[in-house]
Structures are given as structure tokens and as C-alpha cells.
Amino acid sequence: MVGVDFGTLSGRAVVVRVADGAELGSAVHEYAHGVIERALPGSEVRLGPDWALQSPQDWIDVLRLAVPQAVAAAGIAPEEVIGIGTDFTACTVLPATADGTPLCFETPSRPHAWPKLWKHHAAQPHADRINELAARRGETWLPRYGGKISSEWEFAKALQVLEEDPEVYARAERWIEAADWIVWQLAGVESRNICTAGYKGIFQDGTYPSADFLAELNPGFADFTSKLATGRVGERVAAGVRLAALGASAGTLSARAAEWTGLPEGIAVAVGNVDAHVTAAAADAVRPGQMVAIMGTSTCHIMPSDRLAEVPGMCGVVQDGIVPGLWGYEAGQSAVGDIFAWFVDSFVPAAYTERAAEQGLSVHAYLTSLAEKQAVGEHGLVALDWFGGNRSVLVDHNLSGVIIGQTLATRPEDVYRTLIESTAYGARMIVETFEKSGVPVEEFVVAGGLLKNPFLMQVYADVLRRPLSVIGSDQGPALGSAIHAAVAAGAYTDIEAAAATMGKRTEAAYVPDAARADAYDRLYGEYRNLHDHFGDGKALHKLRAIRNEASA
């Protein structure tokens, strides 16, 4: 099987053996355009604050370059591959024509014609209006999203397009998740998956928000769901599009996609999915109570459960959203690895960079080596991990980071350590919120790039006061996509069976230290105080507004 993971900065492909999940070869393609944040490619058209776009050409290049390279690295004949599965960041969404052509290919000078990356937060005012109206009307879907939907999601981003560039909105015959768009390119058939529709598209109990609700937001928004072109699960609609179950086949590889990838035409193409959600299968964590934290630039927490509850600030709960037959919960932190990268790129003195180079270390590794020598609380700092806003449990991307306790004696390693700790406190806030709402977390499983930092993992174990299990793969999402492809190809009967054989994890790889955990309890108490004080947004929203006015 081939699994392809489309991330924030790159796409990676992995070739996986169906019999046991062994990863035989992989390849990574760095996006040429990366994250488009300041100006449109090849243009002087500037973007506003909190914008984040991507180029669909980068995604196609992953299929053209990374997939053949992974097959070559695996040392197998392309004819041995029986299926391909993909996953994507979400909500990364784009406007397209009815045949799937991205509007940015036709009008590259229009910012709203480009795909909006998951961390595009410029639609926060639109999300605020959606939430206020839904609460006032008592919309029954709102509690399924913890009481607030996010500016990162489909409806808020689409409303922004309508109100800021109505011409692009009118030309968009499709408003489609990149997770579904890439499958369309592979199979030549449009499909929509239950995962992104449920978590990012407010699809609950077989329906979207009503036209009446949408019209009250903006009369021109009343028919928005027609651009989503979906019906009930498995139901064919007028446009011939279906909302498909996870692990299902979206079709077979088209001749054009076979030419791109070098794979055989006609092999199975799995239904699209989200990078975090497929990772549960890669870690064989598809049973109730297994929370998987996929920790990278951001963190997504996903967990199957056999019970339905309203969890404040969760990103959503969707029936069959992770594996068929269970409720799937999602929460998250908008920035984690991004916070550490921002600090290293912006504030670390040249002397530290030179010392790191002398020792053959990255700056991150050098700061970690200094930070891990400290006793808990020695730096005298506490931080709020809202440098990319707050996804859970406050669901407010206009919040911003806070660090208190700095003095003239504060060193870079002190700040670096407290930033790591702040993200662990944010994770604990999420876990505690779930458990207080009656949804137990039985096992905490970690996946993602931050697994490479053992010190960070130990901090999380100590702060959470619970063992951490870890995934047994460096390519969790790609492996998870390959597992879904194995089900789509008929090699396994369901996701659970495929995950049991092909998935990998080590239980209790990190165990909390009682003394450090006690010390962190005190600091976490201060984090909660700050969380409650600044969480109303009064001060942080005002500062953001002043910034936006000054930069206009």
C-alpha cells in the first residue's frame, strides 16, 4: 500500500507492507510555495494579518515526485501496489469549479481564490457571528462543537470569501476540503468523507445548518451547502456525489493519476481523511478511551468513545468520525511546535547559535540540553500557549501568548522550557475537560514529530501525571492512510482489523516522576489562573485590534 500525508510544509509518501505494516520506503517533497502568508506567489498583492494560504500545485507535485521516489526506495515493482490512501491537514479548503479546477489557477491575483490553510485565522469575526447567532437561535448542532465553531473551519472561511470577494464566492461551484480534492484528482470522481464533513463542515445527524440559519448570517449565504454537493452517508445526490464512510473506496486510480504517480491504473483509492484521525489507526488506538495527541506544528487530540457527551470547547464529536461504530472526539492546540520554532527563529542570540554549532547540535537541541538541567520551577516563569490562538477549550483564535515572571536574569533556555511546559499545561486542560464531562481518557498516546524530543515527552508525562504511550512510526499519518487503503482494497474487513496488524505503539514509554509531578501541579495552578484571567479576551483582543489598525 502507499500512504500519502499532506502536511503544512511538505508532503510525504510511504510504502507499507499489507501483511504486517512494515514501512519499506518513504520520500518527502517540500512544498515550493510553503505557507503563503505575506503576498501571493509572483505578485505584489499583499495579504492581511492572520492569513495562511497554500498552492494546489504543491500537492500535485507530491504525487508526481514523492510517490515514485518512495516506491523506488522500497525496492518494489509498482505493480505490487494494490491501493493508495491520503490524508490532509484540516480544515484546508479551496474554491473550485464543478470539474475540480481550483479558482486560483484561473485568477491567481485574487487572494480568496487560493486554498485557505488550516491555520488561516482571518475569519475569526465571521466565526464569532456564526457562534453568536447559533447560540441565540439554540441551534442543536452547536453543543456538538463544544459551544463554538472555529475560524479554521469551512463555514467561517466561506463566509469571509462571500463578504470580502463576492465574485470569487459566486464563481466557486465547489467549496471542498483539500482532503477530498486530492482524492478527486486521484480517482477522477468527486467524493466527500464523513470525517471532514462532520468536524469541519458542521454535518450532524444527516444534515448541515439550515438555509434559514445561513440566510440570517447573510442572504447570499443561504445556498452555501449546495457548494458542498453532499447528501447523507452513502446517498447519491443530483450531482452524483456521496458522503463516504472512512475506509471505503472512493474509486480507482485514473489514467492521469497513474501517470503522475507511476502506480498501476485501476488500484483502489481510499476515501479522504484528516492527518490526525488516520493516525489513530497507525497507533492501533481505535478503541474507546484511547486519546491520540498528534504533536507537530500544532497538536490535534482525537479519541474514539462509546458515549456521546457535550465537552466544552471540543472541536467536535462525530458519529463514525474516526472509526465506524463509535463516536469520535476531537480537540486541539493551534500552535505547539510552531511556538518553539518562532522563539528559536526570532529571539535566540547569535552566541547560542554558535555554541550549538560547536557542539554539533541544532539550536532546539542545544536549548533543550540546557533546559533539562533545571529543577521544575527554577526559571520562575509561566506561559499561556496561545501564540497561535486557542483551539480548545476557549475556541478563540484572537487570543495571544502570554509569558509572566521574566526578569533581567531570564535566559533563553528559561523561556524555551516554559514554552514547552505551557503546551503540556494546555494538553492537561483538554484532558481534564473531557473527563469532567464524563468522557474518560484511558490511555494517552503520542504521535508526531515532537516525539523526537525525549525531554519534552517527559515533561508531558509529569504534567499530565499519567504514562505516555508512543506510536511506533515516524510517519504516523502516512501509515494510517496506508491502513485505510488496505481496507479500501479489501485486504482487511475493517479499520480495527487492519490497525491491529499494521498499527504500532509502545505502551507507557514515558512514566511520570512523582516529585516533578507534584511541583508541576503548583505551576499548573498558576497556568489555570492566567487561563481564566486572560481567557475573556478583553486585554488580548484589544491589543490585537490595535495591531491590526496600525498595520492596515
Side-chain angles (χ1 to χ4, degrees):
M1 312 307 304
V2 171
V4 188
D5 169 39
F6 292 87
T8 300
L9 297 173
S10 64
R12 53 204 58 83
V14 62
V15 178
V16 180
R17 191 162 57 206
V18 176
D20 58 6
E23 297 168 32
L24 306 180
S26 64
V28 176
H29 173 70
E30 301 288 338
Y31 298 151
H33 299 89
V35 179
I36 303 166
E37 296 178 286
R38 301 186 183 279
L40 294 181
S43 168
E44 295 183 359
V45 177
R46 306 291 295 178
L47 302 176
D50 303 315
W51 275 64
L53 309 177
Q54 282 195 321
S55 168
Q57 187 58 53
D58 289 340
W59 308 335
I60 295 298
D61 287 345
V62 172
L63 300 178
R64 292 177 52 252
L65 300 172
V67 172
Q69 290 169 9
V71 172
I76 65 166
E79 292 74 23
E80 296 180 68
V81 177
I82 63 172
I84 182 170
T86 57
D87 66 82
F88 236 101
T89 58
C91 169
T92 296
V93 65
L94 65 151
T97 62
D99 66 0
T101 302
L103 294 191
C104 63
F105 285 178
E106 298 182 346
T107 53
S109 63
R110 307 285 281 268
H112 281 297
W114 289 76
K116 288 178 169 56
L117 182 61
W118 64 268
K119 64 177 181 177
H120 175 92
H121 293 147
Q124 185 64 50
H126 305 85
D128 291 341
R129 285 169 47 206
I130 292 171
N131 290 327
E132 186 278 328
L133 179 62
R136 177 158 48 84
R137 287 171 51 113
E139 294 290 331
T140 57
W141 47 261
L142 191 61
R144 296 277 180 93
Y145 300 96
K148 289 184 180 180
I149 69 114
S150 169
S151 66
E152 296 179 358
W153 299 351
E154 288 183 16
F155 279 66
K157 287 174 172 174
L159 185 59
Q160 183 191 14
V161 176
L162 169 64
E163 297 184 341
E164 296 182 6
D165 195 337
E167 184 178 337
V168 165
Y169 180 85
R171 286 176 49 236
E173 296 169 294
R174 293 288 187 271
W175 184 246
I176 185 167
E177 288 275 352
D180 292 318
W181 183 84
I182 202 68
V183 170
W184 194 353
Q185 307 315 299
L186 287 168
V189 178
E190 185 181 3
S191 63
R192 303 294 179 105
N193 74 83
I194 195 169
C195 181
T196 53
Y199 292 104
K200 314 303 176 185
I202 320 182
F203 188 87
Q204 291 285 349
D205 298 323
T207 187
Y208 289 107
S210 68
D212 180 60
F213 171 80
L214 299 177
E216 193 167 343
L217 285 169
N218 185 311
F221 207 45
D223 65 347
F224 168 63
T225 58
S226 67
K227 299 179 187 290
L228 304 179
T230 58
R232 297 178 184 274
V233 176
E235 177 184 289
R236 293 284 177 175
V237 293
V241 180
R242 61 190 172 91
L243 189 60
L246 303 182
S249 171
T252 59
L253 196 67
S254 69
R256 181 180 66 162
E259 183 178 349
W260 286 341
T261 61
L263 299 177
E265 182 181 353
I267 64 172
V269 177
V271 165
N273 208 329
V274 180
D275 51 1
H277 300 69
V278 296
T279 303
D284 186 24
V286 291
R287 289 166 291 280
Q290 292 181 297
M291 177 174 279
V292 182
I294 300 88
M295 297 174 57
T297 53
S298 66
T299 292
C300 187
H301 305 78
I302 60 102
M303 184 173 69
S305 180
D306 55 6
R307 64 194 70 183
L308 174 64
E310 296 175 6
V311 181
M314 64 181 172
C315 298
V317 55
V318 176
Q319 191 169 20
D320 308 321
I322 299 172
V323 288
L326 293 173
W327 292 96
Y329 287 87
E330 179 186 340
Q333 294 165 270
S334 296
V336 179
D338 268 354
I339 300 175
F340 315 143
W342 158 79
F343 178 71
V344 166
D345 293 344
S346 304
F347 298 107
V348 174
Y352 275 65
T353 303
E354 293 168 2
R355 289 176 207 152
E358 290 171 0
Q359 297 181 34
L361 299 173
S362 69
V363 179
H364 287 278
Y366 179 63
L367 287 171
T368 296
S369 71
L370 298 175
E372 65 185 353
K373 297 174 183 176
Q374 298 180 5
V376 176
E378 182 179 330
H379 50 49
L381 307 175
V382 174
L384 291 173
D385 54 318
W386 301 344
F387 294 84
N390 181 280
R391 185 182 294 164
S392 298
V393 296
L394 298 173
V395 199
D396 185 349
H397 293 289
N398 279 339
L399 294 174
S400 48
V402 176
I403 305 175
I404 66 168
Q406 296 183 94
T407 71
L408 295 178
T410 300
R411 301 162 297 175
E413 58 266 34
D414 301 335
V415 177
Y416 192 77
R417 177 167 178 143
T418 201
L419 292 175
I420 288 175
E421 292 166 343
S422 74
T423 66
Y425 301 146
R428 178 168 169 176
M429 178 73 73
I430 290 169
V431 170
E432 289 184 350
T433 302
F434 269 86
E435 297 202 314
K436 288 177 182 176
S437 301
V439 185
V441 178
E442 304 290 353
E443 182 181 6
F444 195 91
V445 186
V446 180
L450 294 182
L451 270 174
K452 297 175 182 177
N453 188 329
F455 168 69
L456 182 147
M457 291 295 105
Q458 188 60 53
V459 167
Y460 270 66
D462 294 339
V463 169
L464 290 168
R465 301 194 74 106
R466 64 175 65 215
L468 304 185
S469 299
V470 300
I471 193 172
S473 171
D474 292 333
Q475 302 287 1
L479 172 58
S481 289
I483 291 172
H484 281 70
V487 178
Y492 291 92
T493 56
D494 54 40
I495 294 171
E496 292 93 332
T501 299
M502 300 175 68
K504 316 163 189 175
R505 86 177 181 285
T506 301
E507 296 183 15
Y510 293 89
V511 178
D513 174 87
R516 289 195 299 266
D518 288 345
Y520 273 127
D521 279 349
R522 295 176 61 194
L523 289 169
Y524 177 65
E526 297 309 313
Y527 173 91
R528 288 191 64 97
N529 290 338
L530 288 177
H531 181 282
D532 295 344
H533 178 77
F534 286 104
D536 64 9
K538 291 179 181 178
L540 301 182
H541 288 176
K542 188 174 296 184
L543 290 173
R544 184 174 289 257
I546 292 171
R547 180 205 69 176
N548 291 347
E549 291 169 9
S551 61

